[in-house]
């Protein structure tokens, strides 16, 4: 087994052990963690591979008939976002089979899921420059390990995978310390935070699933963000104007697309250097929109 495989397997083991502990603490069936582990692992791999194949290899499959690509489970040929969705589906299916309330089971999985993301991102450090960003020049403590990664020629690149892991660990703590609320909200908030941060971090990776200037996994995260905002709006007691946050989210997403197009195609050094700060500001606005949408959920059914 490769170093990446060992780190990934260790991460899965730790995350699902923690899931069992949290289930026991919440007086749910801790055996759910054991039932969820194989289902989540299999569905994560299948969804990750299918996501990559459908989004980037349709021509190879249907025009050239290269169906053998479906069995290529190299980490570089997997879609991380669809794999994460598959893992969540596996946990939800296991909860259903074990007759554990689905929302409570997913709330318990929020922190272990974030920890799983952190560990798998950190494991990408074993894949060369796969999780790296731009070339770093000069000296300084921020230009050394673990903040950068060196290639075989000694050139150093930003270790985006490391920052993805750090962000996921912060969200892991956020999920652990979050106050109890409506069933399902802990998981939804954790998923929103992970996807929101990944919109920016995915943009910093040199090797990524792309359609022209569009980062595919960034787009998938945007779809999940919109779905979560729509879900929050759907629970509003007031009918009139309850989907207005979705409109504001759409405007922010258009802003992100415009910023990214200008950064990559505009030829401006100012945008190339400062575009990430503009994107971060837009993402902060999206976070506030979601926060307000969740706070306005006042119907008895939502509670």
């Amino acid at each position: 087994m490769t170093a990446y495989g060992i780190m990934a397997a260790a991460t899965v083991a730790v995350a699902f052990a923690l899931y069992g502990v949290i289930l026991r603490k919440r007086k749910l069936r801790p055996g759910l963690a054991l039932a969820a582990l194989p289902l989540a692992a299999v569905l994560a791999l299948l969804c990750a591979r299918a996501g990559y194949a459908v989004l980037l290899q349709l021509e190879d499959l249907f025009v050239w008939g290269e169906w053998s690509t479906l069995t290529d489970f190299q980490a570089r040929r997997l879609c991380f976002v669809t794999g994460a969705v598959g893992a969540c589906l596996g946990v939800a299916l296991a909860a259903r089979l074990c007759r554990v309330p689905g929302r409570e089971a997913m709330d318990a999985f929020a922190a272990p899921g974030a920890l799983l993301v952190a560990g798998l991102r950190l494991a990408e450090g074993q894949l060369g420059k796969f999780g790296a960003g731009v070339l770093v020049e000069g000296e300084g403590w921020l230009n050394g390990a673990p903040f950068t990664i060196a290639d075989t020629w000694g050139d150093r690149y930003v270790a985006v995978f490391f920052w993805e892991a750090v962000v996921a660990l912060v969200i892991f703590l956020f999920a652990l310390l979050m106050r109890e609320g409506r069933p399902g909200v802990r998981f939804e908030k954790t998923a929103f935070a992970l996807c929101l941060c990944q919109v920016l971090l995915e943009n910093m990776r040199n090797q990524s699933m792309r359609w022209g200037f569009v980062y595919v996994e960034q787009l998938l995260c945007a779809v999940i963000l919109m779905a979560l905002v729509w879900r929050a709006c759907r629970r509003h007691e007031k009918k009139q104007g309850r989907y207005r946050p979705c409109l504001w989210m759409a405007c922010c997403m258009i802003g992100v697309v415009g910023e990214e197009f200008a950064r990559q195609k505009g030829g401006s050094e100012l945008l190339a250097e400062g575009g990430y700060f503009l994107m971060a500001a837009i993402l902060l606005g999206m976070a506030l929109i979601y926060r307000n949408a969740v706070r306005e959920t006042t119907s008895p059914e939502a509670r």
Side-chain angles (χ1 to χ4, degrees):
M1 185 181 287
T2 63
Y4 172 82
I6 293 172
M7 289 186 66
T11 296
V12 171
V14 171
F16 278 87
L18 176 62
Y19 186 36
V21 171
I22 293 175
L23 287 169
R24 182 182 294 276
K25 183 178 179 181
R26 289 172 172 264
K27 294 181 171 46
L28 299 172
R29 296 178 62 179
L32 171 59
L34 286 176
L37 175 55
L39 284 172
V42 170
L43 285 177
L45 277 174
L46 291 178
C47 289
R49 186 67 199 104
Y52 190 96
V54 169
L55 294 168
L56 289 188
Q57 296 181 315
L58 277 182
E59 183 179 354
D60 293 338
L61 293 174
F62 292 104
V63 176
W64 304 109
E66 297 180 4
W67 295 99
S68 60
T69 59
L70 291 176
T71 60
D72 183 3
F73 285 93
Q74 295 181 66
R76 298 169 184 270
R77 298 290 184 267
L78 302 176
C79 176
F80 195 95
V81 175
T82 57
V85 171
C88 293
L89 288 175
V91 173
L93 178 59
R96 189 176 183 85
L97 293 174
C98 293
R99 297 183 180 179
V100 175
R103 291 181 181 180
E104 294 182 20
M106 298 311 294
D107 276 344
F109 185 67
L115 184 63
L116 193 58
V117 170
L120 291 176
R121 286 303 191 188
L122 199 59
E124 289 180 353
Q126 306 300 321
L127 300 176
K129 294 195 298 182
F130 178 66
V134 297
L135 178 68
V136 174
E137 298 179 355
E139 300 294 332
W141 64 276
L142 278 175
N143 293 349
F147 310 111
T148 62
I149 187 170
D151 63 11
T152 53
W153 292 278
D155 294 326
R156 304 203 70 86
Y157 297 82
V158 175
V160 179
F161 67 88
F162 171 78
W163 294 111
E164 288 173 316
V166 169
V167 167
L169 281 175
V170 171
I171 296 171
F172 160 71
L173 293 175
F174 163 77
L176 276 181
L177 300 175
M178 192 186 305
R179 290 185 301 175
E180 292 298 325
R182 175 180 54 80
V185 75
R186 183 187 299 266
F187 174 77
E188 291 176 13
K189 284 184 175 180
T190 304
F192 188 93
L194 287 168
C195 289
L196 187 73
C197 294
Q198 191 59 34
V199 169
L200 177 62
L201 293 165
E202 187 69 28
N203 205 262
M204 296 179 175
R205 297 169 68 98
N206 276 341
Q207 298 185 37
S208 184
M209 296 171 62
R210 295 179 68 171
W211 297 329
F213 77 94
V214 177
Y215 290 78
V216 177
E217 295 200 74
Q218 187 183 52
L219 181 61
L220 292 175
C221 286
V223 171
I224 295 172
L225 292 174
M226 180 60 82
L228 289 171
V229 172
W230 175 84
R231 184 173 174 81
C233 292
R234 187 168 174 265
R235 299 192 187 99
H236 286 185
E237 186 179 58
K238 290 164 48 173
K239 301 292 184 182
Q240 186 174 3
R242 66 175 177 173
Y243 289 107
R244 193 170 296 139
C246 293
L247 176 61
W248 292 120
M249 280 290 290
C251 291
C252 288
M253 289 176 183
I254 291 171
V256 170
V257 172
E259 175 277 328
E260 187 57 23
F261 180 81
R263 190 181 70 83
Q264 293 192 36
K265 304 295 184 180
S268 167
E269 288 190 14
L270 179 61
L271 275 175
E273 297 292 332
Y276 292 124
F277 293 101
L278 177 58
M279 184 183 294
I282 296 173
L283 294 176
L284 178 59
M286 293 166 70
L288 293 174
I289 291 168
Y290 179 68
R291 179 171 175 267
N292 290 334
V294 171
R295 285 176 111 186
E296 292 172 8
T297 302
T298 57
S299 69
E301 181 183 347
R303 293 174 187 169

